[in-house]
Amino acid sequence: MNWDRFIPAELWPQIVMHEEVGAPITASKLNAATSAAIAACAGKDGGLATDAFLSEPRACSFDPTVDPAALGLTSAEAAVIKKIWDGPRNSEGERLWFGPAKGTALSAPPFGGLAGPSPFPIAVDHFVYWIHQNPTFDWHSVTESSFVGDFQRSERLFEDVVGTDRSNLEGFIRHRAKLLGYHGWVDSLIPPGGSVNYFERLFERYGQQEVDTFARLFMAPGMDHCLFGPGPNSFGNFLPVPADPQHDAFLALQQWVENEIAPERIIATKYANNNPAAGVAFTRPLCKFPKVAHYTGTGASTDAANWSCVQQPGSLTIEEADQVLPDLGARGNGDDRSEGN
């Protein structure tokens, strides 16, 4: 979903680096900022202080501009990284879309990130062939200011074609269909804020209690683009897991549809080195959004049985990171609830 918005937003890190510092920031500096954010916030969001990832990145208020020198950054580089995390905004400071969550690899294998030495090719092609429809268009000509117009043009031209993000699900509901979504919190290509935003829009339209009857989202801490990453990343999507609804998201969806047993949590597995032959490093529950997994404090922290799903306390940091953007982006919420098929 959100293709008309997240694809142009994938070029935002490159645009900011080009305009503000004139070149990509080195991977070592980007990694230093990522590591500092994890060190500052891990264990304060329900996870463990020893985690190599954040359980709830939206709650992390780490700011690289406070002490750039401690991270080996210039003031300009720190400001750029802050803008990358935040995502694109217009000249009035209004959010257009979301950036990679704190803790995400901005320039690292296996996917390269969005702030690596070269821009993500699909994002470049979107500007060249879709937005400007000019094979000779050079993305280096895009500025933070002109990006706003390009982003809005993408919405106007392509939301109907590839947006797939309207919150009107009346037809879906009438057919008694079920939606089980998941997204890795450290997806290095598609900002996870878009998935969260979609469910927040559903909550606004129908109310969370009603949404729970037909759609549920499970955010995966420390999971990259569909797989990999330092967190629990296997739950029927990637490496083998026990073939039951507690461990396999597809079987959980099947059980929900066929037996009307809705999943509250899905147990995700982290294999050592992402290799089942190396054994299970730990298991942890993925909680129905907006709940977050919290260690109970008793029993092995490597066992999902010793974790509970807890409603994360609200905070200004989460409020800002989770600002709900309307359906149809720049055109406003013109999606009438009565229109679903």
Side-chain angles (χ1 to χ4, degrees):
M1 65 185 75
N2 307 311
W3 290 76
D4 57 315
R5 298 196 264 189
F6 83 70
I7 293 181
E10 289 175 327
L11 195 59
W12 176 252
Q14 297 289 336
I15 293 166
V16 175
M17 290 190 297
H18 181 254
E19 183 169 337
E20 305 275 347
V21 295
I25 298 173
T26 63
S28 61
K29 290 187 174 185
L30 294 171
N31 293 340
T34 296
S35 297
I38 295 171
C41 297
K44 299 176 182 178
D45 55 2
L48 304 176
T50 54
D51 281 341
F53 55 89
L54 302 178
S55 292
E56 173 52 286
R58 298 176 303 160
C60 182
S61 59
F62 174 76
D63 185 346
T65 66
V66 171
D67 189 2
L71 305 174
L73 302 172
T74 66
S75 295
E77 289 169 336
V80 164
I81 291 171
K82 184 175 181 178
K83 277 189 174 183
I84 290 173
W85 282 338
D86 185 46
R89 294 178 180 268
N90 63 21
S91 58
E92 285 75 44
E94 297 169 333
R95 180 181 298 284
L96 296 175
W97 203 240
F98 306 89
K102 290 173 184 173
T104 301
L106 299 176
S107 177
F111 300 109
L114 297 177
S118 299
F120 187 47
I122 292 176
V124 173
D125 286 349
H126 188 73
F127 275 78
V128 172
Y129 298 109
W130 289 55
I131 297 175
H132 291 275
Q133 300 176 21
N134 177 4
T136 66
F137 180 79
D138 182 359
W139 75 265
H140 292 89
S141 66
V142 183
T143 65
E144 293 174 43
S145 177
S146 70
F147 174 88
V148 177
D150 287 337
F151 183 89
Q152 292 173 342
R153 179 174 172 79
S154 179
E155 291 180 299
R156 289 193 302 271
L157 291 177
F158 307 119
E159 191 278 335
D160 284 338
V161 183
V162 296
T164 60
D165 60 352
R166 299 191 185 184
S167 62
N168 182 347
L169 295 182
E170 294 296 324
F172 186 86
I173 295 167
R174 282 199 302 273
H175 286 288
R176 301 178 66 186
K178 307 298 182 187
L179 169 63
L180 191 158
Y182 68 86
H183 202 148
W185 264 126
V186 295
D187 191 322
S188 56
L189 297 181
I190 302 177
S195 292
V196 168
N197 178 67
Y198 181 69
F199 270 77
E200 293 285 8
R201 283 187 278 136
L202 290 180
F203 294 163
E204 279 198 347
R205 181 183 283 270
Y206 297 105
Q208 185 178 334
Q209 187 173 356
E210 184 177 350
V211 171
D212 280 350
T213 67
F214 64 84
R216 298 187 174 204
L217 174 66
F218 295 84
M219 298 302 292
M223 187 177 80
D224 203 325
H225 186 60
C226 304
L227 64 163
F228 297 127
N233 53 27
S234 295
F235 42 94
N237 59 315
F238 177 29
L239 299 172
V241 293
D244 60 57
Q246 290 72 45
H247 295 82
D248 187 307
F250 180 79
L251 295 180
L253 176 61
Q254 181 181 24
Q255 179 173 252
W256 190 9
V257 171
E258 296 180 359
N259 301 323
E260 298 186 357
I261 300 174
E264 293 291 329
R265 52 189 258 163
I266 298 171
I267 298 173
T269 300
K270 172 65 176 178
Y271 291 106
N273 300 317
N274 292 317
N275 179 7
V280 174
F282 61 90
T283 59
R284 195 168 296 186
L286 308 183
C287 300
K288 179 191 68 174
F289 179 81
K291 291 184 177 180
V292 178
H294 281 231
Y295 175 50
T296 62
T298 59
S301 62
T302 55
D303 187 345
N306 300 317
W307 292 72
S308 59
C309 291
V310 176
Q311 188 75 35
Q312 188 76 359
S315 72
L316 290 176
T317 305
I318 288 182
E319 254 180 57
E320 171 55 27
D322 202 29
Q323 177 188 0
V324 180
L325 303 181
D327 284 13
L328 306 184
R331 288 177 283 173
N333 191 344
D335 184 20
D336 187 86
R337 180 171 175 166
S338 66
E339 293 175 352
N341 293 314

